[in-house]
Short mmCIF file of all heavy atoms in Angstrom, two decimals:
data_model
loop_
_atom_site.label_atom_id
_atom_site.label_comp_id
_atom_site.label_asym_id
_atom_site.label_seq_id
_atom_site.Cartn_x
_atom_site.Cartn_y
_atom_site.Cartn_z
N ALA F 1 -12.46 -25.65 -0.15
CA ALA F 1 -12.86 -24.87 1.04
C ALA F 1 -11.62 -24.53 1.82
O ALA F 1 -11.52 -23.44 2.39
CB ALA F 1 -13.81 -25.78 1.89
N ALA F 2 -10.58 -25.47 1.96
CA ALA F 2 -9.34 -25.22 2.67
C ALA F 2 -8.48 -24.18 1.98
O ALA F 2 -7.70 -23.38 2.67
CB ALA F 2 -8.60 -26.48 2.87
N ALA F 3 -8.59 -24.02 0.65
CA ALA F 3 -7.79 -23.16 -0.08
C ALA F 3 -8.11 -21.67 0.24
O ALA F 3 -7.32 -20.74 0.00
CB ALA F 3 -7.90 -23.40 -1.66
N GLY F 4 -9.37 -21.44 0.74
CA GLY F 4 -9.78 -20.10 1.01
C GLY F 4 -9.41 -19.56 2.40
O GLY F 4 -9.83 -18.44 2.73
N VAL F 5 -8.70 -20.35 3.22
CA VAL F 5 -8.32 -19.94 4.59
C VAL F 5 -6.84 -20.09 4.78
O VAL F 5 -6.12 -20.81 4.07
CB VAL F 5 -9.13 -20.70 5.60
CG1 VAL F 5 -10.60 -20.54 5.48
CG2 VAL F 5 -8.78 -22.22 5.45
N THR F 6 -6.35 -19.31 5.77
CA THR F 6 -4.95 -19.33 6.12
C THR F 6 -4.74 -19.60 7.58
O THR F 6 -5.45 -18.93 8.38
CB THR F 6 -4.27 -18.00 5.68
OG1 THR F 6 -4.39 -17.77 4.31
CG2 THR F 6 -2.76 -18.08 6.03
N VAL F 7 -3.97 -20.55 7.97
CA VAL F 7 -3.62 -20.82 9.34
C VAL F 7 -2.11 -20.73 9.51
O VAL F 7 -1.36 -21.37 8.82
CB VAL F 7 -4.10 -22.20 9.73
CG1 VAL F 7 -3.72 -22.53 11.18
CG2 VAL F 7 -5.56 -22.37 9.56
N ARG F 8 -1.68 -19.89 10.49
CA ARG F 8 -0.25 -19.77 10.76
C ARG F 8 0.20 -20.95 11.54
O ARG F 8 -0.37 -21.31 12.55
CB ARG F 8 0.00 -18.50 11.58
CG ARG F 8 1.49 -18.31 11.95
CD ARG F 8 1.66 -16.97 12.72
NE ARG F 8 1.40 -15.84 11.85
CZ ARG F 8 1.53 -14.57 12.28
NH1 ARG F 8 1.89 -14.33 13.51
NH2 ARG F 8 1.24 -13.55 11.50
N ASP F 9 1.32 -21.59 11.06
CA ASP F 9 1.92 -22.77 11.65
C ASP F 9 0.85 -23.85 11.93
O ASP F 9 0.56 -24.23 13.09
CB ASP F 9 2.59 -22.44 12.96
CG ASP F 9 3.75 -21.49 12.78
OD1 ASP F 9 4.43 -21.56 11.76
OD2 ASP F 9 3.97 -20.58 13.69
N PRO F 10 0.15 -24.31 10.91
CA PRO F 10 -0.93 -25.26 11.08
C PRO F 10 -0.48 -26.59 11.70
O PRO F 10 0.58 -27.04 11.44
CB PRO F 10 -1.47 -25.47 9.67
CG PRO F 10 -0.29 -25.19 8.82
CD PRO F 10 0.38 -24.02 9.45
N ILE F 11 -1.28 -27.16 12.61
CA ILE F 11 -0.99 -28.35 13.36
C ILE F 11 -1.31 -29.57 12.49
O ILE F 11 -2.39 -29.67 12.00
CB ILE F 11 -1.78 -28.39 14.63
CG1 ILE F 11 -1.44 -27.19 15.58
CG2 ILE F 11 -1.55 -29.70 15.41
CD1 ILE F 11 -2.40 -27.05 16.73
N ARG F 12 -0.41 -30.48 12.40
CA ARG F 12 -0.65 -31.83 11.82
C ARG F 12 -0.60 -32.88 12.98
O ARG F 12 -1.35 -33.74 13.05
CB ARG F 12 0.33 -32.21 10.73
CG ARG F 12 0.22 -31.33 9.48
CD ARG F 12 -1.04 -31.49 8.72
NE ARG F 12 -1.49 -32.82 8.36
CZ ARG F 12 -2.42 -33.11 7.42
NH1 ARG F 12 -2.90 -32.12 6.66
NH2 ARG F 12 -2.78 -34.31 7.15
N GLY F 13 0.38 -32.67 13.86
CA GLY F 13 0.48 -33.58 15.01
C GLY F 13 0.64 -35.06 14.79
O GLY F 13 0.01 -35.91 15.43
N ARG F 14 1.57 -35.43 13.89
CA ARG F 14 1.75 -36.86 13.59
C ARG F 14 2.35 -37.59 14.76
O ARG F 14 1.89 -38.63 15.16
CB ARG F 14 2.60 -36.99 12.32
CG ARG F 14 2.80 -38.44 11.94
CD ARG F 14 3.39 -38.58 10.55
NE ARG F 14 3.83 -39.94 10.28
CZ ARG F 14 3.01 -40.97 9.92
NH1 ARG F 14 1.71 -40.72 9.80
NH2 ARG F 14 3.46 -42.16 9.65
N GLU F 15 3.45 -37.07 15.30
CA GLU F 15 4.20 -37.80 16.36
C GLU F 15 3.33 -37.92 17.61
O GLU F 15 3.26 -39.03 18.15
CB GLU F 15 5.51 -37.04 16.69
CG GLU F 15 6.49 -37.09 15.52
CD GLU F 15 6.80 -38.45 14.98
OE1 GLU F 15 6.95 -39.40 15.81
OE2 GLU F 15 6.85 -38.65 13.83
N PRO F 16 2.64 -36.88 18.10
CA PRO F 16 1.77 -37.09 19.29
C PRO F 16 0.68 -38.11 18.99
O PRO F 16 0.28 -38.88 19.84
CB PRO F 16 1.24 -35.69 19.53
CG PRO F 16 2.18 -34.79 18.89
CD PRO F 16 2.73 -35.49 17.72
N PHE F 17 0.13 -38.08 17.76
CA PHE F 17 -0.95 -38.95 17.35
C PHE F 17 -0.51 -40.44 17.43
O PHE F 17 -1.19 -41.30 18.02
CB PHE F 17 -1.48 -38.58 16.00
CG PHE F 17 -2.47 -39.53 15.43
CD1 PHE F 17 -3.83 -39.55 15.89
CD2 PHE F 17 -2.15 -40.42 14.39
CE1 PHE F 17 -4.79 -40.38 15.39
CE2 PHE F 17 -3.13 -41.28 13.90
CZ PHE F 17 -4.41 -41.25 14.37
N LEU F 18 0.65 -40.72 16.82
CA LEU F 18 1.22 -42.03 16.83
C LEU F 18 1.47 -42.53 18.18
O LEU F 18 1.28 -43.74 18.49
CB LEU F 18 2.46 -42.10 15.92
CG LEU F 18 2.28 -41.92 14.44
CD1 LEU F 18 3.56 -41.89 13.66
CD2 LEU F 18 1.25 -42.87 13.87
N ALA F 19 1.96 -41.61 19.06
CA ALA F 19 2.27 -42.00 20.49
C ALA F 19 0.95 -42.43 21.18
O ALA F 19 0.88 -43.32 21.96
CB ALA F 19 2.99 -40.89 21.16
N LYS F 20 -0.15 -41.62 20.94
CA LYS F 20 -1.42 -41.91 21.65
C LYS F 20 -2.06 -43.17 21.19
O LYS F 20 -2.72 -43.81 21.99
CB LYS F 20 -2.31 -40.71 21.34
CG LYS F 20 -1.93 -39.38 21.97
CD LYS F 20 -1.99 -39.48 23.49
CE LYS F 20 -1.70 -38.08 24.18
NZ LYS F 20 -1.76 -38.15 25.66
N ILE F 21 -1.90 -43.55 19.93
CA ILE F 21 -2.63 -44.75 19.41
C ILE F 21 -1.72 -46.00 19.48
O ILE F 21 -2.14 -47.10 19.10
CB ILE F 21 -3.13 -44.59 17.94
CG1 ILE F 21 -1.91 -44.52 16.99
CG2 ILE F 21 -4.03 -43.36 17.86
CD1 ILE F 21 -2.38 -44.56 15.49
N ASP F 22 -0.52 -45.90 20.02
CA ASP F 22 0.37 -46.98 20.14
C ASP F 22 -0.29 -48.04 21.09
O ASP F 22 -0.65 -47.73 22.14
CB ASP F 22 1.73 -46.50 20.72
CG ASP F 22 2.74 -47.66 20.82
OD1 ASP F 22 2.65 -48.59 20.03
OD2 ASP F 22 3.63 -47.54 21.65
N GLY F 23 -0.40 -49.23 20.57
CA GLY F 23 -1.02 -50.33 21.35
C GLY F 23 -2.48 -50.50 21.10
O GLY F 23 -3.12 -51.43 21.60
N MET F 24 -3.12 -49.66 20.30
CA MET F 24 -4.55 -49.79 19.96
C MET F 24 -4.79 -50.98 19.15
O MET F 24 -4.01 -51.27 18.23
CB MET F 24 -5.02 -48.49 19.22
CG MET F 24 -6.50 -48.52 18.84
SD MET F 24 -7.05 -47.11 17.90
CE MET F 24 -6.22 -47.36 16.36
N THR F 25 -5.83 -51.76 19.39
CA THR F 25 -6.15 -52.86 18.60
C THR F 25 -6.35 -52.51 17.13
O THR F 25 -7.11 -51.56 16.87
CB THR F 25 -7.41 -53.56 19.14
OG1 THR F 25 -7.22 -53.94 20.50
CG2 THR F 25 -7.77 -54.82 18.35
N TYR F 26 -5.71 -53.28 16.28
CA TYR F 26 -5.91 -52.98 14.78
C TYR F 26 -6.59 -54.22 14.18
O TYR F 26 -6.23 -55.36 14.46
CB TYR F 26 -4.55 -52.80 14.16
CG TYR F 26 -4.65 -52.56 12.67
CD1 TYR F 26 -4.97 -51.27 12.19
CD2 TYR F 26 -4.46 -53.54 11.75
CE1 TYR F 26 -5.10 -51.07 10.85
CE2 TYR F 26 -4.53 -53.30 10.40
CZ TYR F 26 -4.93 -52.06 9.93
OH TYR F 26 -5.02 -51.85 8.60
N GLY F 27 -7.61 -53.97 13.38
CA GLY F 27 -8.30 -55.02 12.72
C GLY F 27 -9.31 -55.68 13.72
O GLY F 27 -9.86 -54.99 14.58
N GLU F 28 -9.47 -56.98 13.49
CA GLU F 28 -10.48 -57.63 14.34
C GLU F 28 -10.04 -57.77 15.82
O GLU F 28 -8.90 -57.66 16.12
CB GLU F 28 -10.65 -59.14 13.79
CG GLU F 28 -11.17 -59.24 12.38
CD GLU F 28 -11.12 -60.62 11.83
OE1 GLU F 28 -9.94 -61.09 11.69
OE2 GLU F 28 -12.17 -61.22 11.59
N SER F 29 -11.08 -57.87 16.63
CA SER F 29 -10.85 -57.97 18.09
C SER F 29 -11.21 -59.36 18.55
O SER F 29 -12.22 -59.89 18.15
CB SER F 29 -11.72 -56.90 18.76
OG SER F 29 -11.71 -57.12 20.19
N ALA F 30 -10.35 -59.91 19.50
CA ALA F 30 -10.57 -61.19 19.99
C ALA F 30 -11.93 -61.22 20.86
O ALA F 30 -12.59 -62.23 20.97
CB ALA F 30 -9.40 -61.66 20.88
N ALA F 31 -12.28 -60.00 21.36
CA ALA F 31 -13.50 -59.93 22.17
C ALA F 31 -14.70 -60.16 21.34
O ALA F 31 -15.82 -60.52 21.82
CB ALA F 31 -13.50 -58.60 22.87
N HIS F 32 -14.57 -59.84 20.00
CA HIS F 32 -15.76 -59.95 19.09
C HIS F 32 -15.64 -61.22 18.19
O HIS F 32 -16.51 -61.47 17.38
CB HIS F 32 -15.88 -58.76 18.24
CG HIS F 32 -16.16 -57.49 19.01
ND1 HIS F 32 -15.90 -56.29 18.56
CD2 HIS F 32 -16.73 -57.34 20.27
CE1 HIS F 32 -16.25 -55.36 19.46
NE2 HIS F 32 -16.81 -56.01 20.55
N GLY F 33 -14.52 -61.99 18.32
CA GLY F 33 -14.36 -63.11 17.43
C GLY F 33 -13.51 -62.79 16.18
O GLY F 33 -13.46 -61.62 15.78
N LEU F 34 -12.90 -63.75 15.63
CA LEU F 34 -11.96 -63.56 14.50
C LEU F 34 -12.41 -64.39 13.30
O LEU F 34 -12.79 -65.62 13.43
CB LEU F 34 -10.56 -63.95 14.96
CG LEU F 34 -10.02 -63.26 16.22
CD1 LEU F 34 -8.72 -63.99 16.65
CD2 LEU F 34 -9.88 -61.83 16.10
N ILE F 35 -12.25 -63.90 12.10
CA ILE F 35 -12.53 -64.64 10.89
C ILE F 35 -11.21 -65.08 10.31
O ILE F 35 -10.25 -64.20 10.06
CB ILE F 35 -13.27 -63.76 9.85
CG1 ILE F 35 -14.70 -63.48 10.37
CG2 ILE F 35 -13.36 -64.48 8.51
CD1 ILE F 35 -15.53 -62.55 9.46
N ARG F 36 -11.01 -66.33 10.06
CA ARG F 36 -9.83 -66.87 9.47
C ARG F 36 -10.18 -67.82 8.31
O ARG F 36 -10.49 -68.91 8.49
CB ARG F 36 -9.00 -67.67 10.55
CG ARG F 36 -8.42 -66.79 11.65
CD ARG F 36 -7.35 -65.82 11.08
NE ARG F 36 -6.83 -64.96 12.18
CZ ARG F 36 -7.26 -63.72 12.42
NH1 ARG F 36 -8.30 -63.27 11.80
NH2 ARG F 36 -6.75 -63.03 13.39
N GLY F 37 -10.24 -67.17 7.12
CA GLY F 37 -10.68 -67.93 5.93
C GLY F 37 -12.18 -68.28 6.07
O GLY F 37 -12.99 -67.43 6.24
N ARG F 38 -12.49 -69.62 6.06
CA ARG F 38 -13.83 -70.01 6.25
C ARG F 38 -14.22 -70.34 7.65
O ARG F 38 -15.29 -70.87 7.97
CB ARG F 38 -14.09 -71.24 5.35
CG ARG F 38 -14.15 -70.91 3.85
CD ARG F 38 -14.53 -72.13 3.03
NE ARG F 38 -13.57 -73.26 3.03
CZ ARG F 38 -13.78 -74.43 3.52
NH1 ARG F 38 -14.96 -74.65 4.10
NH2 ARG F 38 -12.90 -75.41 3.48
#
C-alpha cells in the first residue's frame, strides 16, 4: 500500500519522539504491582 504513494521529505521524527517519551515507565508499573519470579 505504501509503495503506491509518494511523500516529499517524509517525516519519521525519531529525535522528537525519543525526547517526548523520555522518562515514560517501561515494563511493569509499581502502581499495579510487580512480578519477580514466583
Side-chain angles (χ1 to χ4, degrees):
V5 296
T6 302
V7 179
R8 179 178 294 182
D9 299 326
I11 300 168
R12 292 297 306 200
R14 179 168 172 79
E15 294 307 318
F17 174 75
L18 293 179
K20 292 291 187 181
I21 67 171
D22 186 24
M24 181 182 71
T25 302
Y26 180 80
E28 297 170 294
S29 167
H32 297 157
L34 310 170
I35 293 175
R36 295 293 180 265
R38 291 188 291 113

